[in-house]
Amino acid sequence: MKKIHFKLGILFLFFLIQGCATNDSNSRLVRFWNDGFIYSEKEGKANSECSQNANLIYPKAGENDEEYYKIYRNCMKNKGY
């Protein structure tokens, strides 16, 4: 009787993990489980916009990276990330 419960428990755990990994594609846990770390659509768009803004404001990123990242981080904070 214990072997059956153990096997059913493992089967249930497998389906639980599968359901968590395929259920909500916008969940951070699901995105990490499936592909590693991937930005959500909104966060990816904000990242792209802030990178472009930082490049436009401070195009000499190779000379002083601190200034570039300061502009980028401020933009991301303003967008809520």
Side-chain angles (χ1 to χ4, degrees):
M1 190 74 162
K2 289 184 180 183
K3 288 183 180 181
I4 292 174
H5 289 287
F6 181 73
K7 289 178 182 178
L8 287 175
I10 290 191
L11 187 63
F12 175 75
L13 183 63
F14 171 74
F15 283 116
L16 179 67
I17 291 173
Q18 180 186 13
C20 290
T22 60
N23 190 15
D24 180 18
S25 63
N26 212 19
S27 165
R28 287 183 183 267
L29 175 63
V30 172
R31 284 185 273 116
F32 177 77
W33 179 268
N34 289 335
D35 299 317
F37 180 76
I38 296 178
Y39 292 122
S40 67
E41 187 176 335
K42 290 180 182 178
E43 193 171 357
K45 187 176 180 181
N47 183 28
S48 175
E49 289 174 5
C50 289
S51 293
Q52 290 174 357
N53 289 343
N55 283 331
L56 290 174
I57 294 170
Y58 197 79
K60 303 174 192 173
E63 293 178 13
N64 188 358
D65 290 339
E66 291 178 21
E67 189 66 29
Y68 174 83
Y69 289 119
K70 183 192 275 187
I71 294 167
Y72 171 78
R73 288 303 313 152
N74 286 335
C75 178
M76 289 298 281
K77 284 181 184 178
N78 290 339
K79 293 191 181 279
Y81 295 104

